[in-house]
Amino acid sequence: MTVSAVPSEASSASAAPRGGGVRRSMLRRVAPYLQAGPLALTLLVFLLIPILTIVAVSFWDYDSIRIYPDFVLTNYEELLTSPVTWKTYLNTVKFAALTWVITLLIGFTVAYFLAFHVQSTTWQMVLFLVCTIPFWTSNIIRMISWIPFLGRNGLLNSGLISAGLIDQPLEFLLFSDFAVVLAFVHLYALFMVVPIFNSMMRIDRALVEAARDGGASAAQVVWNVILPLAKPGIAIGSIFVVTLVMGDFITVRLMSGGQSASIGLMIANEISLLQYPAAAANAVVLLAVVLIMVVAMLRIVDIRKEL
Amino acid sequence: MTGTGTRRGLSFYLLAAFFGLFVLFLYGPIATITILSFQGPDGGLTFPMNGVSLHWFKNLFEQQAVGDFGGSFRRSIALGLTVMVLTVLFSLLAGFAFRRRFLGSGALFYLAVASLIVPSILVSLGIGLLFNILGIEPTWYGSALGAHLTWTLPFGLLIVFAIFNRFNPAYEEAARDLGATPWQTVRHVVLPILLPSLIGVGLFGFTLSYDEFARTLMTAGSFNTLPLEIYGMTTNVTTPVLYALGTLTTLFSFTVIGLFLAGVMILRRHRLRRTGAVV
């Protein structure tokens, strides 16, 4: 959006007198629409209209066999008056908050190390790549790869037992809230590292030096110079992590062993029971919650300015 | 860069240790299942290793127990490649459009950002419902393709924005001054400069699609893609064949990244040599 205004207007003016001018300037005027067309059409057909469909269906009626076009509020009523809903929402927000705090701490520290302590650019790129490569493998594979590590007879338990630290395997390691948050951090820490690293790399190093010359300690430099300037990256990373966790259902289902719930999982269950209107109402509420969270984060920083 | 931090004190080593732990955290589990996938025929899902063999890899290919592994793999590749091509094409075109002001550009930008924020399961549900109501059968090459594009296109678009931000328009002006037509300018000046970044967009598109689960769930129709197949396996397969599959798909991902990186490297060297010759 903030792409610098390229002097294409000027060129179209200079091209005009060269003959075929009228047709060419017409083409210039419609060109952006033709160029943006495929993107716009795809998002319209596969995002906007489906979301509107969800909103419409959330007012439909259903029984055990099929769904009926209608306008009823029962889906929302049942959803919002059920204590299960509130508990599930609370649980999901808890997952999101925990994951957010942990990924933020990890992301900031890792990005800070890469951006300010690794001196050579080559090493910076190599270490950055080392961090990003696991991200390219399947999420589900990365989740199940925790099982032999955390299980009853897993590496961690047998290690702790043979070290004499515990007598019995720790049961809470796998199929628990602990495992869910651990998997989330494992899956999404990178979504925090990359944007924060990106905004840290843009920080003018002279500012850091000036602060140091002014007598600031290392901690003061981080807190008063780097942190404020890395805010856009933190905001982008936070939006990613929070929205990904809020909508997740596979991680919660796999890692909690079915013992914990999330909104996404609730929706997925309603889908598998073919209760589409109920799922749709739930989806609308989830979307509203996620949008409120994102808007709140965007109030803190203007991301469009930073692109 | 040099000279910013002259001291390599205690904080450097503490941070380096933290970084090392983070890398261990990222790679440790994957390394564990890779080792475990070489269990002997009597081995289980955890350590200790019960012999070393390729039994579970063989098992993966010969038996029906794993479902349609080959077919789902082929579908995921085909889908990923299609998504890759369309993502590069659509986001590049849109990138050109956004270099000028046009009616609705703000709305389109926000729609693209929204596409990143809307939880995947909602996209899946919405497309599934829409196709259901319209009476169209969802297919992996139709509805799932669209669902994947809603995830890959915004990423592609943001990367293209970043590329154009750093693009020096002087090259285009020079081409125009030398009498190049707009098409010639794009073909011979803009595209070659953007090529390495576009490869990155393609890599992004391919891997995002290849791994996408939630957006495929309700949109793939009657034939599974690989992530759906793997997910099915996690619920009913209790042998290391699961790890063998994990090892193979991880290996495949790494190969794809390696090929892309090598491609970018060759391009860069090629360009260096050419510009070197000119100078």
Side-chain angles (χ1 to χ4, degrees):
Chain A
M1 286 312 292
T2 45
V3 180
S4 55
V6 175
S8 46
E9 267 75 30
S11 76
S12 75
S14 68
R18 253 191 249 153
V22 179
R23 240 174 79 205
R24 192 169 290 172
S25 75
M26 261 285 282
L27 192 68
R28 284 208 164 250
R29 213 163 307 140
V30 294
Y33 299 98
L34 293 178
Q35 289 166 336
L39 173 78
L41 206 66
T42 311
L43 292 180
L44 224 58
V45 173
F46 291 105
L47 184 77
L48 199 61
I49 297 177
I51 297 285
L52 295 176
T53 310
I54 292 180
V55 175
V57 171
S58 71
F59 295 106
W60 286 17
D61 205 356
Y62 68 99
D63 58 32
S64 52
I65 307 162
R66 49 168 297 184
I67 57 179
Y68 308 97
D70 200 348
F71 187 85
V72 293
L73 293 171
T74 45
N75 300 316
Y76 287 99
E77 242 167 67
E78 278 165 20
L79 182 73
L80 296 176
T81 54
S82 155
V84 177
T85 310
W86 292 94
K87 240 179 84 185
T88 311
Y89 268 79
L90 210 66
N91 204 36
T92 314
V93 171
K94 183 187 80 184
F95 284 145
L98 281 172
T99 310
W100 177 69
V101 170
I102 300 171
T103 53
L104 179 58
L105 288 175
I106 294 176
F108 190 87
T109 315
V110 168
Y112 173 70
F113 172 70
L114 286 181
F116 289 98
H117 280 265
V118 177
Q119 304 284 324
S120 98
T121 326
T122 317
W123 270 109
Q124 239 167 11
M125 275 359 279
V126 168
L127 294 179
F128 182 73
L129 262 181
V130 165
C131 289
T132 45
I133 283 171
F135 165 75
W136 304 105
T137 66
S138 161
N139 276 1
I140 299 178
I141 298 291
R142 289 174 70 194
M143 274 177 237
I144 59 165
S145 65
W146 279 107
I147 294 171
F149 192 78
L150 296 176
R152 262 191 75 103
N153 307 310
L155 274 184
L156 192 58
N157 270 327
S158 37
L160 288 173
I161 289 176
S162 60
L165 289 170
I166 50 172
D167 313 323
Q168 280 184 346
L170 298 171
E171 297 282 352
F172 74 86
L173 289 177
L174 190 61
F175 303 138
S176 61
D177 285 0
F178 170 81
V180 173
V181 174
L182 186 76
F184 275 140
V185 172
H186 189 225
L187 293 176
Y188 302 140
L190 197 81
F191 282 90
M192 213 44 126
V193 174
V194 173
I196 298 181
F197 177 68
N198 208 356
S199 53
M200 277 182 181
M201 289 302 281
R202 291 184 193 186
I203 296 175
D204 189 349
R205 296 301 189 269
L207 293 174
V208 177
E209 264 180 74
R212 215 173 276 147
D213 290 346
S217 69
Q220 282 174 320
V221 172
V222 170
W223 188 254
N224 294 318
V225 181
I226 294 173
L227 185 68
L229 290 172
K231 251 189 191 168
I234 294 174
I236 293 176
S238 305
I239 288 171
F240 266 120
V241 170
V242 168
T243 51
L244 282 168
V245 175
M246 288 300 290
D248 178 273
F249 67 99
I250 340 162
T251 315
V252 177
R253 184 184 278 166
L254 265 181
M255 299 307 288
S256 79
Q259 318 216 359
S260 206
S262 76
I263 318 163
L265 191 52
M266 211 171 149
I267 295 174
N269 287 338
E270 282 162 346
I271 291 174
S272 61
L273 294 172
L274 303 181
Q275 301 171 341
Y276 291 125
N282 212 339
V284 171
V285 176
L286 170 62
L287 189 60
V289 171
V290 168
L291 283 182
I292 289 169
M293 287 173 135
V294 170
V295 169
M297 283 188 249
L298 285 180
R299 288 199 75 109
I300 303 171
V301 275
D302 181 6
I303 287 176
R304 278 185 69 169
K305 238 175 28 197
E306 309 293 337
L307 274 175
Chain B
M1 201 62 51
T2 43
T4 325
T6 37
R7 74 254 137 73
R8 181 168 275 200
L10 181 64
S11 63
F12 173 84
Y13 292 103
L14 283 177
L15 285 166
F18 185 87
F19 182 81
L21 283 176
F22 178 65
V23 171
L24 198 67
F25 171 69
L26 286 183
Y27 286 85
I30 299 173
T32 313
I33 67 158
T34 306
I35 296 169
L36 283 173
S37 63
F38 292 100
Q39 279 274 24
D42 303 320
L45 280 170
T46 52
F47 285 101
M49 295 285 282
N50 208 331
V52 177
S53 74
L54 291 172
H55 175 84
W56 300 107
F57 290 93
K58 246 192 308 184
N59 198 301
L60 191 60
F61 286 103
E62 68 192 11
Q63 282 185 5
Q64 276 303 297
V66 198
D68 187 15
F69 166 61
S72 61
F73 182 63
R74 273 194 298 277
R75 280 189 283 277
S76 273
I77 300 266
L79 181 58
L81 288 176
T82 315
V83 169
M84 177 178 88
V85 172
L86 292 181
T87 304
V88 171
L89 196 65
F90 288 7
S91 42
L92 178 66
L93 278 175
F96 275 115
F98 274 104
R99 296 177 82 190
R100 286 183 249 170
R101 234 167 259 285
F102 62 97
L103 203 68
S105 61
L108 184 58
F109 175 76
Y110 279 116
L111 190 61
V113 171
S115 195
L116 286 181
I117 293 166
V118 171
S120 296
I121 184 142
L122 296 201
V123 177
S124 219
L125 173 65
I127 296 176
L129 279 175
L130 181 67
F131 275 56
N132 191 342
I133 292 167
L134 295 177
I136 308 171
E137 196 70 30
T139 52
W140 61 269
Y141 48 84
S143 43
L145 175 65
H148 283 205
L149 285 175
T150 61
W151 185 224
T152 58
L153 282 177
F155 277 109
L157 190 66
L158 290 180
I159 300 174
V160 169
F161 278 167
I163 300 167
F164 273 129
N165 260 340
R166 273 172 233 142
F167 183 79
N168 187 351
Y171 292 118
E172 280 170 294
E173 281 162 43
R176 255 197 308 270
D177 290 347
L178 291 172
T181 64
W183 171 242
Q184 283 174 323
T185 312
V186 169
R187 166 79 183 73
H188 295 294
V189 177
V190 181
L191 282 185
I193 295 176
L194 298 188
L195 195 58
S197 314
L198 290 181
I199 291 180
V201 173
L203 173 61
F204 227 88
F206 180 83
T207 45
L208 284 180
S209 160
Y210 176 69
D211 290 337
E212 182 55 39
F213 174 79
R215 281 176 203 241
T216 331
L217 185 64
M218 281 197 71
T219 57
S222 34
F223 292 104
N224 276 353
T225 61
L226 194 58
L228 293 178
E229 198 70 33
I230 296 173
Y231 180 68
M233 281 177 72
T234 59
T235 52
N236 55 37
V237 176
T238 50
T239 59
V241 72
L242 193 58
Y243 298 156
L245 182 56
T247 303
L248 275 190
T249 54
T250 305
L251 197 70
F252 176 77
S253 303
F254 285 2
T255 312
V256 171
I257 308 167
L259 285 177
F260 272 98
L261 286 179
V264 172
M265 223 98 110
I266 290 169
L267 265 177
R268 194 171 289 168
R269 196 162 302 160
H270 185 66
R271 178 163 309 152
L272 270 179
R273 203 179 300 144
R274 268 215 315 221
T275 49
V278 170
V279 173

